[in-house]
Amino acid sequence: MSMNKFMHPRNIYRQRPDFRALVKQYPELTAATTVDLNGKLKLDYKDRKALRLLTSCLLKRDYGLQVDLPPDKLVPTLPLRLNYILWLEDLEEALGWKNRAEVRGLDIGCGASCIYPLLGVVHSKRRWRMVGLELLKDSVLVARANVERNGLQACIEVVQQKSDDGSVLKQFMEDRENFDFCMCNPPFFDDDEGTTHKDRTDQRKEPPNAVTGSDKELRIDGGELRFLERIIDESLELKERITVYTSMIGHKKNFEEILRIMKRRSISNVTTTRFCQGNTTRWGVAWSFSSAAILSNVPDRFEQESSGRKSVGKPLEGKIFSLEDVESIDVVQASLLRVLKTLDLQINALSGDTDHMWELIALDNTWSHQRRKRREAHRKLSPGSENRNNQERELETSSNSDGTPSKKLKSDQRDCEPVLKAVLCLKRKDDGYYLALSYLSGIAGKDALNQILQFVKNNIRNIR
């Protein structure tokens, strides 16, 4: 599903480019386009060369920027990068920085394209003063050349990051002035991961765009989660040396975990958003230790754009049994509760006139990537029965007399905010038994209802 309608309202790429006009203006794009049966020009997004050409042409046309994009380096997707810049501008406005003559920003890992500093400076009409921090020497050289090619040396400095102590910010900040904000688009993948991931039901199509970038740009030890956790820990020492810390996050499960890490570190001045574009969603998080930067004032454009389009209270329904498959709704209920118990959820019966209705509370996302989690759990279990039994006991939950899991939780979960709250209702209809799920709250969002319903459908017949 295209997410363009949820793009930031000021994003100029909400509408797809007119390739015919673009090719007319930049004839070099002809080699990367084809004509479909309706006579429309189309770009092959799976062709890396085509992506580089398109990005270069759009940067020239829309921003007057001449940017060298090396074949072996990451090609920035402009709608996503611009969404991040526009979110920072919203933050800037909400915090009263718009009237400043200068705003200082730091881009952690600017890459060869130096795309965020270039876009930020052009968009702010050169009010922003940016430092691009980059670890890879060859990328530093290309980034500096891109800055010089566009005559922006007075606004952008590219610095090679030292890695003597493994820090992200601390060593760099030792002899540096303070910054108003920092931004980061960390490598998505862990060193042991590939660069493609299957959907939770193993049915998602391959990414529509070609994967670009070197291994060092795409992967890092511990992936984006551990990298961002290091930044969070360093921010606890640097405090107001940077007024607002921000980052993009590529995986929803990491976004949820980052919010839990912040809660455990007692970081409460936080705001979040989503970056929606094409078929892709990314997440943004910002935090601050400054009393002059109250982040609750920053508007969430995604929520503004999506509000009114979907009803929060409208339930998601799915058939889980035919009438002839089971004897009664009580049998269906028993099977349903057994399946849900395997996900370590709190299931609390709701009192009232309606039977077969429960409140669901999830303190962690336990329903995604079940096969991978089982493999990891199997590896972690030691051969000795004592270790295995201890680990199994830690994961167990006690049951109430009606078979529903009790509220007994692992000690490290008790202080966590739920990632999902929902209402479950079991219904009997003319053609079978249906499970209805209504979203209440939680950072897992409505997508979690689809995932849980699919999990129930896949497993309920095997657990009766």
Side-chain angles (χ1 to χ4, degrees), residues 68-87:
D68 176 28
L69 301 171
D72 59 337
K73 296 296 182 182
L74 195 65
V75 177
T77 52
L78 293 185
L80 174 57
R81 268 57 176 185
L82 186 55
N83 268 342
Y84 197 165
I85 292 292
L86 293 170
W87 181 55

Side-chain angles (χ1 to χ4, degrees), residues 241-259:
R241 293 288 311 281
I242 299 174
T243 306
V244 180
Y245 301 82
T246 78
S247 182
M248 184 189 297
I249 303 172
H251 299 306
K252 187 175 182 179
K253 63 187 177 72
N254 292 340
F255 170 67
E256 295 167 357
E257 181 59 24
I258 285 299
L259 294 184

Side-chain angles (χ1 to χ4, degrees), residues 187-231:
F188 281 3
F189 303 106
D190 195 343
D191 279 337
D192 339 349
E193 287 183 309
T195 53
T196 58
H197 288 278
K198 289 189 176 181
D199 169 75
R200 53 192 167 261
T201 60
D202 293 329
Q203 294 176 349
R204 179 174 291 172
K205 297 178 181 178
E206 291 185 6
N209 291 3
V211 176
T212 63
S214 65
D215 278 353
K216 290 183 179 178
E217 291 177 298
L218 298 174
R219 303 180 189 179
I220 195 168
D221 184 27
E224 64 175 359
L225 179 60
R226 297 282 79 86
F227 186 82
L228 189 47
E229 185 176 19
R230 281 193 346 239
I231 295 178

Side-chain angles (χ1 to χ4, degrees), residues 232-299:
I232 292 171
D233 289 336
E234 291 181 26
S235 76
L236 288 165
E237 298 182 49
L238 294 170
K239 294 285 187 178
E240 295 183 44
R241 293 288 311 281
I242 299 174
T243 306
V244 180
Y245 301 82
T246 78
S247 182
M248 184 189 297
I249 303 172
H251 299 306
K252 187 175 182 179
K253 63 187 177 72
N254 292 340
F255 170 67
E256 295 167 357
E257 181 59 24
I258 285 299
L259 294 184
R260 285 192 285 271
I261 288 171
M262 287 185 174
K263 184 175 178 63
R264 290 196 291 268
R265 307 290 199 275
S266 299
I267 300 173
S268 57
N269 189 9
V270 178
T271 190
T272 63
T273 193
R274 295 192 202 185
F275 304 122
C276 300
Q277 51 285 308
N279 298 308
T280 305
T281 301
R282 298 286 182 256
W283 290 264
V285 62
W287 68 101
S288 177
F289 303 96
S290 171
S291 59
I294 306 303
L295 297 181
S296 59
N297 294 330
V298 181

Side-chain angles (χ1 to χ4, degrees), residues 2-16 78-80 82-83 86 274-280 301-302 305-306 309:
S2 174
M3 302 294 288
N4 283 10
K5 64 182 179 180
F6 298 126
M7 270 195 202
H8 194 287
R10 297 197 307 276
N11 196 314
I12 62 175
Y13 299 114
R14 283 173 75 112
Q15 300 296 324
R16 296 176 71 86
L78 293 185
L80 174 57
L82 186 55
N83 268 342
L86 293 170
R274 295 192 202 185
F275 304 122
C276 300
Q277 51 285 308
N279 298 308
T280 305
R301 298 290 185 184
F302 172 81
E305 287 295 295
S306 59
R309 288 184 170 89

Side-chain angles (χ1 to χ4, degrees), residues 336-345 347 424 452 456:
L336 172 64
L337 294 177
R338 281 195 291 271
V339 171
L340 294 173
K341 185 178 178 182
T342 65
L343 294 178
D344 197 21
L345 306 171
I347 307 293
L424 309 181
I452 292 173
V456 170

